[in-house]
Amino acid sequence: IDPKNATVTLENGGTFKGDIVIGADGVHSLARSKLPFAKDIKPFSSGKNAFRFLIKRQDALEDPETRSLAMVYSSVDMWDSDEKRVVIYPCANNELLNFVCIHPDSMSTINTSSDWNQEASKEALLEVFKEFNPQVLKMLAKADPYTLRVWPLLDMETLPTWVDDRLAIIGDAAHPFLPYRASGGAMAIEDSVSLAVMLSHDVTREEIPERLKLYEKARHNRASTVQQMTRDSSKPQSVETSQLFILNFAQYIANTPQWKQ
């Protein structure tokens, strides 16, 4: 990747040239390594992994022992211990339930050479959460082996810059999020909208580097702030802490110019 000339050269020697290169290439971003002061910044384990899987809501409704956990549509249910968390929320028009089961990374095995889409066993899932409420365990036992995976939860130091000349990074390439506030996808969409505003049709090729600096200025503080809120949310929350978080977030929104309306 050549930020100055906005070119990308493939392993087979083929080269693509454009007006801009946008690195939306995830937490292990190659584009990020081409930014000044960022090439040595790497993602690292947060100390937690997460089992993830889907089940049909109807399967939970048809079981008298789990029916009460599936009756309320569009709700998010959460169970916490000091080091573990089970989160259940609906998707696919409330027809499926998505499970995120967070736990210390020492309790599940990750292939370090490939940390994406790794299969996990139901036995391992149930062993890790064996001390949880029996009703929750009954729900976990319904895990679909086809969708059951284990993921490392990665974090990264805040980057000093997201842009260089005609290269910009967005989403997890710029700011990987822990999953505690469901903010990663939202922040990537906001990055994209911001880029679309900065790179309107009347922008010339020569103006692109300055426009990318405006994109970074518009996004860096907000994304970094929400990222830190997500880290704070990784800890078990008392009622008082949750109320304080809501108050602090409301104050942040009230004092952020683009949100005042």
Side-chain angles (χ1 to χ4, degrees), residues 52-255:
R52 304 196 68 157
F53 62 92
L54 298 163
I55 70 169
K56 295 178 181 178
R57 179 188 291 274
Q58 193 61 33
D59 289 346
L61 289 173
E62 291 175 355
D63 185 337
E65 294 185 52
T66 59
R67 177 176 173 80
S68 64
L69 297 182
M71 291 178 63
V72 180
Y73 280 35
S74 302
S75 69
V76 178
D77 298 298
M78 187 182 303
W79 292 264
D80 260 352
S81 72
D82 289 341
E83 295 186 307
K84 305 172 190 177
R85 178 176 297 179
V86 172
V87 184
I88 307 175
Y89 59 87
C91 56
N93 197 30
N94 280 298
E95 294 179 4
L96 297 177
L97 296 174
N98 188 54
F99 288 71
V100 184
C101 306
I102 300 168
H103 56 281
D105 57 8
S106 60
M107 301 187 74
S108 60
T109 301
I110 292 285
N111 180 357
T112 56
S113 64
S114 175
D115 58 25
W116 181 80
N117 207 31
Q118 296 193 51
E119 294 183 0
S121 72
K122 187 184 297 188
E123 291 74 21
L125 168 68
L126 294 174
E127 174 64 23
V128 168
F129 291 92
K130 61 185 178 183
E131 78 278 13
F132 270 49
N133 183 297
Q135 190 180 33
V136 175
L137 287 177
K138 191 69 183 292
M139 287 285 275
L140 298 185
K142 298 179 184 297
D144 178 0
Y146 181 76
T147 64
L148 180 56
R149 298 290 187 271
V150 61
W151 300 70
L153 303 185
L154 301 177
D155 202 347
M156 191 176 70
E157 296 176 30
T158 300
L159 295 177
T161 181
W162 299 351
V163 304
D164 181 33
D165 214 307
R166 289 192 284 143
L167 166 66
I169 57 175
I170 69 172
D172 278 359
H175 41 65
F177 277 76
L178 299 175
Y180 299 96
R181 290 282 165 182
S183 297
M187 292 296 104
I189 292 170
E190 289 187 11
D191 290 348
S192 303
V193 172
S194 179
L195 272 178
V197 171
M198 303 307 177
L199 299 172
S200 55
H201 289 299
D202 59 346
V203 173
T204 66
R205 183 184 180 93
E206 291 71 26
E207 292 175 308
I208 288 175
E210 287 303 315
R211 289 301 183 104
L212 293 184
K213 290 178 182 177
L214 283 176
Y215 151 71
E216 179 182 81
K217 183 177 181 180
R219 295 291 305 139
H220 196 282
N221 182 64
R222 171 168 165 77
S224 298
T225 299
V226 177
Q227 194 176 32
Q228 185 57 49
M229 290 176 174
T230 299
R231 294 185 184 110
D232 293 341
S233 296
S234 69
K235 304 174 180 63
Q237 302 291 305
S238 65
V239 173
E240 293 78 10
T241 301
S242 298
Q243 291 173 338
L244 182 61
F245 174 87
I246 293 170
L247 177 61
N248 288 340
F249 189 74
Q251 291 175 339
Y252 167 74
I253 292 295
N255 292 312

Side-chain angles (χ1 to χ4, degrees), residues 2-8 16-21 166-167 205:
D2 181 345
K4 182 176 178 59
N5 295 303
T7 60
V8 175
F16 294 87
K17 183 176 178 61
D19 294 326
I20 181 175
V21 176
R166 289 192 284 143
L167 166 66
R205 183 184 180 93

